[in-house]
Amino acid sequence: MIGAGPYGLSVAAHLRGAGVPVRVFGEVMGSWRHAMATGMFLKSTPDAVDLSAPEPGGRLADFLRVHGEPELTELTPIPCEVFVRYGQWFQKQYVGEAEPTRVTAVRLAPSGPGFAVRLDDGRELAAGAVVVATGLNGLAHVPDELRRLAPSGPGVEALVSHTSQHTDLSRYAGRRIAVIGGGQSALESAALLHEAGARAQVLVREESVLWGTTPDPARSRARRIGRPRSPLGTGWVLAAVCRAPGGVRRLPPAARLLLFRRALRPSGGWWLRDRVEGVVPVRTSRRVVRAEAAGSAVRLTVAGPAGRAEVLDVDHVLAATGYRLDLDAVPFLSPETRRALRHVPGSRAPRLGPGFESSVPGLYFAGSLAAPMFGPMMRFVAGTAYTATRLARHVGRRVAAP
């Protein structure tokens, strides 16, 4: 198992529950600890962030009850630090040891089936199956125009960085920051920057910012039927996507990709709106067409409504520009393994079978890289239950086979 986030922990828990020997490599909840700025909250509601255990007792609500912490409702935003502690508790309860050693190479075994897995301490292990559950690590996308500001790569010390590179935005207190993007990471980062004393503004390509609606626990039966709830929001389309990821997989490739790209538009959590609207300048219908270093600052040429251009001078650009699902960005896959992987047509994500196995026998993918096959729920913690049960069952059959 490569990765010890929500998907890695959930799959490992089910494998161990079925008696399948498994070793887990990765820092427990590493991305949630190091790729989220202090003070951030989860966008999802408490009933959509449960990790998947092979037996009852592993929900977020169980963790809170065991530790005597207050119950969280759909009207209670979840602090990321609470979710991290929940994941660490889940690991101790259901997974056991997770080795923080980094995997540096996965290649096909030179003789016979299986894989040779190399670790960063020089050891090499044999594995009958490998599950890649590394989340969005290495997949952060910074547009080329902005990337030119940092020839050595985006970072907190460079003129441009990606939101995933920050744990503390207070370092920008008193500085002018342009936040590029219109989704949750852009809007919440802008709020945190403002609250830390930075002069932030948000540049959004869309004509308007989309905000989530405040949950209504007392919704009428008619409203619940007309717009059923799901882990991804309300409405029949989202509900269907969440209830039948296997059905999504059977759709034609073009339909799957359209669903993946359009089912969820960038939006901000309902609880964040008061911290942004009227507080942080949010400029819609804006697109960066040129970015130049101007000494220790940045000069942005921005196309606005009706194509009118303006120039902005800022001290740093924070790219909340999402992620690209690309197998070429998974650094530990050997060239021969990468060449043997078939892709989802129109995508650089792996083509997967019903048990999450790729075209390389014994190589599995869980989490975001599975979303172009199984739908957008795989981009969220809510997809762990579907993934873990089916993937673990498939691996168990493979291990048990003579």
Side-chain angles (χ1 to χ4, degrees):
M1 176 67 61
I2 306 176
Y7 278 86
L9 294 176
S10 296
V11 173
H14 280 264
L15 287 170
R16 288 206 164 131
V20 178
V22 57
R23 293 180 69 174
V24 180
F25 296 101
E27 183 178 0
V28 176
M29 302 298 284
S31 294
W32 294 86
R33 295 167 63 184
H34 304 304
M36 297 280 186
T38 300
M40 281 191 164
F41 292 80
L42 274 66
K43 187 178 175 183
S44 301
T45 54
D47 61 352
V49 297
D50 291 329
L51 276 63
S52 181
E55 59 190 47
R59 300 173 305 149
L60 174 62
D62 298 315
F63 162 75
L64 295 172
R65 185 176 59 255
V66 166
H67 291 83
E69 299 187 30
E71 179 185 1
L72 297 174
T73 73
E74 59 184 321
L75 294 173
T76 314
I78 307 167
C80 281
E81 62 88 13
V82 170
F83 187 61
V84 167
R85 288 192 292 112
Y86 164 51
Q88 293 169 328
W89 170 82
F90 183 97
Q91 171 243 327
K92 293 173 183 175
Q93 295 293 118
Y94 297 100
V95 178
E97 182 183 11
E99 303 173 55
T101 310
R102 186 169 58 90
V103 172
T104 59
V106 173
R107 59 187 177 86
L108 300 173
S111 59
F115 303 88
V117 179
R118 187 181 306 122
L119 308 178
D120 64 1
D121 59 10
R123 288 179 294 161
E124 189 162 288
L125 312 172
V130 171
V131 180
V132 178
T134 49
L136 294 169
N137 286 337
L139 303 178
H141 171 63
V142 176
D144 290 341
E145 188 58 53
L146 298 178
R147 189 175 285 274
R148 294 190 188 98
L149 295 170
S152 299
V156 296
E157 299 291 346
L159 292 175
V160 61
S161 62
H162 190 272
T163 48
S164 63
Q165 296 176 307
H166 291 276
T167 56
D168 183 9
L169 292 171
S170 66
R171 66 185 297 121
Y172 298 114
R175 301 177 68 186
R176 302 165 298 173
I177 311 297
V179 182
I180 313 299
Q184 176 72 12
S185 63
L187 299 168
E188 191 171 13
S189 295
L192 290 170
L193 284 164
H194 171 80
E195 291 158 4
R199 289 177 285 166
Q201 60 178 305
V202 186
L203 304 179
V204 183
R205 294 175 68 106
E206 303 296 329
E207 295 180 357
S208 62
V209 172
L210 183 65
W211 295 99
T213 56
T214 304
D216 179 10
R219 287 197 314 157
S220 67
R221 184 171 182 273
R223 290 182 62 192
R224 291 197 301 270
I225 294 174
R227 289 189 61 80
R229 284 185 53 199
S230 78
L232 305 186
T234 58
W236 279 105
V237 172
L238 294 181
V241 164
C242 293
R243 291 173 186 170
V248 174
R249 181 185 162 275
R250 289 190 287 270
L251 292 173
R256 282 202 314 270
L257 282 181
L258 184 65
L259 179 65
F260 169 72
R261 291 167 178 162
R262 296 190 181 180
L264 294 173
R265 289 178 53 198
S267 65
W270 62 269
W271 45 266
L272 180 63
R273 192 168 188 169
D274 290 344
R275 294 168 56 195
V276 175
E277 280 195 340
V279 178
V280 180
V282 178
R283 310 178 68 192
T284 56
S285 301
R286 296 301 198 281
R287 181 170 57 88
V288 175
V289 295
R290 188 175 180 83
E292 303 172 280
S296 60
V298 177
R299 176 157 291 177
L300 298 176
T301 303
V302 180
R308 293 190 299 271
E310 58 183 317
V311 174
L312 299 176
D313 292 317
V314 298
D315 298 306
H316 186 82
V317 177
L318 181 59
T321 44
Y323 299 83
R324 289 276 177 89
L325 303 184
D326 188 347
L327 285 170
D328 288 339
V330 180
F332 49 78
L333 295 177
S334 71
E336 59 174 331
T337 305
R338 211 185 308 273
R339 285 193 296 270
L341 286 167
R342 297 180 64 185
H343 300 104
V344 176
S347 167
R348 294 293 300 168
R351 183 173 177 179
L352 304 174
F356 291 82
E357 187 178 33
S358 70
S359 55
V360 175
L363 181 59
Y364 298 79
F365 290 86
S368 293
L369 282 167
M373 284 297 301
F374 289 91
M377 192 166 72
M378 300 300 127
R379 295 163 51 189
F380 298 87
V381 179
T384 56
Y386 182 90
T387 301
T389 53
R390 286 156 180 80
L391 195 156
R393 187 184 308 132
H394 199 281
V395 171
R397 288 198 297 264
R398 169 174 287 281
V399 171

